Amino acid sequence: MRRRFATGPARAALVAAMALALAPAPAAAAPSHATAPAPARATTGTTYFVDCATGNDAAAGTGENTAWRSLTRANSVVFKPGDKLRLRGGATCRGTLAPKGSGTAQAPVTVEPYGSGVPVVDGAGASAAVLLQNVEYYQLRKITVTNTGATAARRAGIRVLLRDYGIGHHYVIDGVTVRDVNGSDDRYPNPSGGILFEAAGSSVPTGFSGIAVTDSKVSHVDRIGIGITSDWQKRTENPKGPGSTFVPNEGVVISRNTVTDAGGDGIVLFNGNRARVTQNTVDGFNIRSTDYNIGAYAWNSDRTTFEYNDVRHGKYPGMAFAVEGGNVGTTYQYNYSQDNAGGFLYFCQSDGEIAKDGVVRYNISQNDAAGAQGFGLISSFCTGVANLRVYQNTFYAPNAPSLVEVARQNDLALQGNVFVGRPEGSAVDDPYGTYRYNLFHHASALPVRGDHNITGDPLLTAPGPAVRASDADGYRLKTGSPALNAGSRVTGDGGRDFYGNPVPSVPHIGAYQGAPQ
């Protein structure tokens, strides 16, 4: 589907699929080793204070009683290793915070509150409310950022921009809130959104080493919730990508964040290497965009792991997850997906890209693709994704017209999955994929290629009413389920199911591998 760079036949296939979709309805990958930047050892620096309510820019700025008044005064300082910029809680600062100078590995520069309450940085329609440009070793903690202009424009809450910089190190964004950013509907280049990292330029290969976005909230932003993009994408897997070479973004962790009401994509990562996207909630995406959008996905990345995430309420045709765009070894595991109108998974390879070795396992999908026309719970309209393995998932889709829609040749293998369709029957339209040991309930027909597939009620304990992963116990299996010990184990399957149970030598079909209930 790739809306970003798809052209020619791939784009034509996408347009045709979308036309169908919008027509009136008829009467294994190894675990990632990426880690967050390590906490730096305390090093004495200068602490500066800003009180945007009662401060004085003519004061020294080095104590609470001599705080500066404006961000402009703070921006005039060249920060040194170990320095801190502290913003008074409860006060609102208008304009852009754009500090100069960098920290070191032992002594980063820190921006944090003081006093009671939370400080607010209001960009008031600027291109960014917080701009870290060509600096490194920074930590932003426990501040609120907002940035609403008179009209939508290319605009960000927090923008970390490296342009022809080389490798920038150690960026920690922890416990921040970004809200109300009316950016434009632009994903790349010059994206709009809540928390954005951009490796830009054309003369010096540029990227990031050490990004941690943790325990933060992003709400009502256009278009990306949390995103990392790059101008340095060209490689064998993405030969038409921008830039003259490929620069990976190393040591990326995006964890325990909440993204709500994102105009476009929820969480997107370009050029990652062994990144981890874990324990996040994306609730409401593709809300205002005219493009195709995904809840959480990687682009042109290697061995990205998405695990323990909740992705919900993607507006049509928003899809929870995707494997595409020059990705190698993407793993989606232990995620919960719910009420995403465009479906659970999209996969695609176009424009000469090579997307391969994806793994989608031990996930639970509830009521995705409800009423979707032209899209299935799992969909593809492109040719050639290699070695995509989808196994041991539970797909409960009682309102989906189609469970699988694959329009072109792909190397897709589905094994040990539970598929529950709508009572009148849901289509399985895939003449290319291989299906083994799957259980289908309310499917209009079994797939044409495969073996050991069965039909029948999987006897899930209480499917349907869950609202998040933590209350998805209803997808366990009852005594007497035909899925019990009816599967075949996949080599290198991770060893644990959605609920943390060990996988037996002869597994059940679906995401649950514990004792019958």
Side-chain angles (χ1 to χ4, degrees), residues 362 476 495-504 511-515:
Y362 304 116
R476 302 181 182 194
R496 296 277 171 178
D497 73 357
F498 179 90
Y499 302 92
N501 299 305
V503 179
Y512 177 65
Q513 298 298 318

Side-chain angles (χ1 to χ4, degrees), residues 46 48 68 73-81 83 98-102 109 135 138:
T46 302
Y48 300 95
W68 296 324
R73 181 66 179 89
N75 293 341
S76 70
V77 174
V78 178
F79 291 95
K80 297 179 175 60
D83 285 355
K100 303 179 185 70
S102 293
V109 176
V135 297
Y138 266 76

Side-chain angles (χ1 to χ4, degrees), residues 152-428:
R154 279 186 161 90
R155 184 175 290 128
I158 298 172
R159 189 185 305 274
V160 183
L161 173 62
L162 300 182
R163 186 179 299 280
D164 293 322
Y165 183 82
I167 304 301
H169 301 84
H170 189 92
Y171 302 89
V172 173
I173 297 178
D174 177 65
V176 308
T177 295
V178 179
R179 56 175 173 79
D180 301 321
V181 179
N182 62 330
S184 60
D185 192 16
D186 293 287
R187 177 190 293 107
Y188 175 86
N190 306 318
S192 291
I195 300 174
L196 302 175
F197 294 80
E198 300 171 55
S202 59
S203 61
V204 179
T206 295
F208 294 93
S209 177
I211 290 174
V213 182
T214 55
D215 297 301
S216 296
K217 296 180 180 179
V218 178
S219 64
H220 193 225
V221 300
D222 292 304
R223 65 176 319 283
I224 299 171
I226 300 171
I228 302 172
T229 61
S230 177
D231 288 351
W232 302 91
Q233 297 185 42
K234 190 178 293 295
R235 61 175 182 159
T236 300
E237 290 78 11
N238 190 19
K240 295 184 181 179
S244 57
T245 189
F246 176 73
V247 182
N249 294 314
E250 305 278 359
V252 176
V253 174
I254 301 173
S255 181
R256 302 184 304 277
N257 305 289
T258 300
V259 176
T260 57
D261 192 15
D265 295 311
I267 298 173
V268 54
L269 165 65
F270 283 35
N271 286 33
N273 183 38
R274 295 185 180 274
R276 293 184 62 239
V277 181
T278 179
Q279 296 177 276
N280 303 284
T281 295
V282 176
D283 193 347
F285 64 95
N286 197 41
I287 303 302
R288 288 167 293 279
S289 177
T290 60
D291 201 349
Y292 295 85
N293 292 281
I294 308 297
Y297 74 104
W299 178 268
N300 198 37
S301 295
D302 295 339
R303 296 173 292 281
T304 311
T305 299
F306 295 84
E307 59 185 2
Y308 306 111
N309 302 290
D310 283 23
V311 177
R312 307 191 290 263
H313 303 126
K315 185 179 177 182
Y316 187 80
M319 303 155 197
F321 307 115
V323 175
E324 55 178 340
N327 286 323
V328 177
T330 305
T331 296
Y332 288 102
Q333 60 185 12
Y334 314 122
N335 300 291
Y336 175 75
S337 170
Q338 177 187 339
D339 293 321
N340 297 295
F344 169 80
L345 177 69
Y346 188 83
F347 60 96
C348 178
Q349 178 174 287
S350 62
D351 295 338
E353 299 153 1
I354 298 173
K356 62 182 180 180
D357 301 336
V359 171
V360 180
R361 63 188 181 191
Y362 304 116
N363 304 286
I364 290 176
S365 166
Q366 176 180 289
N367 202 39
D368 287 331
Q373 298 296 321
F375 290 88
L377 192 68
I378 298 172
S379 299
S380 179
F381 307 104
C382 306
T383 301
V385 170
N387 191 33
L388 175 58
R389 294 176 293 159
V390 178
Y391 61 88
Q392 302 298 157
N393 304 282
T394 296
F395 301 116
Y396 180 73
N399 299 295
S402 178
L403 297 172
V404 186
E405 288 287 335
V406 178
R408 298 188 181 183
Q409 180 68 51
N410 277 280
D411 182 10
L412 171 67
L414 297 98
Q415 179 168 323
N417 304 288
V418 169
F419 288 93
V420 178
R422 59 183 182 175
E424 63 268 39
S426 297
V428 180

